[in-house]
Amino acid sequence: MRITLVKKVLADGSLCAKCKDVEQKLKENDQEQYLDQVLIADERDPQSPGMQLAQSLQVQRAPFFVVEKEGEEPQVYTVYFKFAKEVLKGLQ
């Protein structure tokens, strides 16, 4: 299984508020270790890796998690609590 977190950087260069909240929850719960990759969706750069992934998966909200399992379609989670319950709980 591979887990990717996509965080958004706003046009003014700051991290979106929800992204900060989710990042804090991941740290508090010692869950950062389960992330394989963190990508930035930079509003100032449509070619940034996070923006490209969001576009390819048709995701409009950030932050979001992409869970890839071999032989399965990637699963997208736009809600931290659902992601934590359905994915991270089984890893801890």
Side-chain angles (χ1 to χ4, degrees):
M1 178 169 52
R2 181 172 174 79
I3 301 172
T4 301
L5 166 62
V6 178
K7 304 186 294 187
K8 181 165 61 172
V9 170
L10 304 173
D12 68 1
S14 65
L15 193 61
C16 80
K18 190 174 174 190
C19 295
K20 288 180 194 174
D21 290 345
V22 166
E23 208 169 36
Q24 186 63 36
K25 286 180 178 75
L26 288 167
K27 283 180 184 167
E28 287 172 1
N29 297 312
D30 196 27
Q31 296 167 325
E32 291 175 305
Q33 63 183 316
Y34 301 113
L35 302 177
D36 294 293
Q37 166 173 248
V38 178
L39 298 179
I40 302 296
D42 191 332
E43 285 187 343
R44 302 164 298 179
D45 179 10
Q47 298 304 311
S48 64
M51 291 294 266
Q52 290 184 337
L53 183 59
Q55 186 175 26
S56 72
L57 295 172
Q58 299 177 350
V59 179
Q60 303 295 319
R61 299 172 60 188
F64 66 92
F65 298 90
V66 181
V67 179
E68 298 171 277
K69 295 179 183 173
E70 196 171 324
E72 295 180 20
E73 288 292 314
Q75 285 185 285
V76 176
Y77 293 87
T78 57
V79 178
Y80 164 78
F81 292 108
K82 181 174 176 153
F83 166 73
K85 180 181 176 185
E86 294 182 9
V87 178
L88 296 180
K89 192 168 188 168
L91 300 175
Q92 295 177 312

